[in-house]
Amino acid sequence: MELKVLGSSSSGNCYILDNGNEALIIEAGIRFMEVKKALDFQLRKVVGCLITHQHNDHAKYIKNMVDTGFYVLALPEVLTAKGVSGSRVRSLELGKGYKFGNFKVAPFAACHDVPCVGYLIDHPASGRILFLTDSCMCEYTFPGLNHILIECNYSDRKLIESINAGITLPIQRTRLLTSHMELETCKGILSANDISNVSNVVLLHLSKDNGDEPRFISEVQRATGKLVYIAKPGLTIQLDRL
Ligand SMILES: [Zn+2]
Ligand SMILES: [Zn+2]
């Protein structure tokens, strides 16, 4: 199973899981033409599109997904905010499971400044993938994970440096505490879960001003002993079941 990252930041998020026959799109925050290119214009293999929440960096192009005829799963708040409806639009209910081709999808509540979900995604080719972004914490642990895609937006140390340098406004620190994931929280979630069968850890949605790529990679690598990537446009990695 190939993971293609089209975008992973406040300027736009979109990921594609593609095993050659079936593709699942996660997030609609990147121009639709880019999505079509990444799919080599093979739109027929798209089995669905998952949205986490209504912010434009995740849902700006949801209407393109619906108009193209993709099955779209999103919280009712997202569908209302973006004014989308139709027979292929599924209004997400927490506690329910969903099927898109051979992908099984279980949403769970995230912790953001608007209603937001994370997804547990199972496919025979990849095993179990955890996807969690725009969440200040995670209330749950998940058994049997094979790959983890998780936000690591900022570190408090880098944030304070940025505030002292006048790059980031002090009020941002309060906002971030309840909306985005800090490095130590990310590491805490990784150590709270059984990651013995995890092959890849992909860090999502790094802040341009308050993130620190090399440090995040080395700290998470040290904490987990796993291969750690930073999601950025153009990154392609294999998420296979070992
Ligand atoms: Zn975001
Ligand atoms: Zn957001």
Side-chain angles (χ1 to χ4, degrees), residues 203 212-224 228:
L203 304 179
D212 184 342
E213 284 189 21
R215 185 168 151 233
F216 289 9
I217 288 185
S218 71
E219 286 211 19
V220 175
Q221 218 143 26
R222 188 148 25 98
T224 61
V228 179

Side-chain angles (χ1 to χ4, degrees), residues 53 55 57-58 112-114 134 175 180 205:
H53 66 295
H55 286 154
D57 57 323
H58 301 258
H112 197 36
D113 48 8
V114 294
D134 292 53
R175 193 203 151 229
H180 285 283
H205 211 291

Side-chain angles (χ1 to χ4, degrees), residues 15 26-27 52 108 118-119 121 129-133 149 204:
Y15 310 84
I26 311 172
E27 310 287 38
T52 59
F108 59 92
Y119 290 104
I121 301 165
I129 301 168
L130 172 65
F131 181 89
L132 179 61
T133 189
L149 282 56
L204 312 179

Side-chain angles (χ1 to χ4, degrees), residues 1-19:
M1 179 74 70
E2 194 170 73
L3 166 72
K4 281 186 193 157
V5 180
L6 280 68
S8 183
S9 73
S10 54
S11 37
N13 295 268
C14 184
Y15 310 84
I16 299 174
L17 291 171
D18 187 348
N19 78 339

Side-chain angles (χ1 to χ4, degrees), residues 141-146 148 189-198:
T141 54
F142 307 94
L145 295 177
N146 299 110
I148 298 179
I189 292 168
L190 291 166
S191 66
N193 279 278
D194 174 4
I195 56 166
S196 53
N197 291 315
V198 167

